[in-house]
Amino acid sequence: MPEGNIQVVILSVIIGTLAAIVYSLRILVLMERRMARIDENLFAITKKIALEEVKIEREEEKIEKSLKGRNRR
């Protein structure tokens, strides 16, 4: 009988280890999805910032042109 108990313990340890690995992989997949969403949000934010920078640069050019026109007079 002791041999049967050892086999049950060994199988229990193996099954527990496999369950832990599967659970860890599940958590890793969820974390990867979360990181992908964060990356998408960061990309959208940087795109908006870049567009605003372009608008600001255009406005600065307009202001500089209007100031140069006034200096000539």
Side-chain angles (χ1 to χ4, degrees), residues 27 30 36 44 47 51:
I27 296 299
L30 291 175
K47 190 174 180 180
L51 290 174

Side-chain angles (χ1 to χ4, degrees), residues 3-43:
E3 292 175 9
N5 289 338
I6 292 175
Q7 289 177 349
V8 169
V9 169
I10 291 173
L11 285 175
S12 297
V13 169
I14 291 171
I15 290 172
T17 303
L18 290 175
I21 291 170
V22 169
Y23 181 74
S24 297
L25 288 174
R26 179 179 173 266
I27 296 299
L28 284 173
V29 167
L30 291 175
M31 291 291 288
E32 194 275 330
R33 287 180 186 166
R34 221 178 255 174
M35 291 300 293
R37 273 189 264 132
I38 290 170
D39 286 342
E40 289 174 5
N41 289 334
L42 283 174
F43 181 72

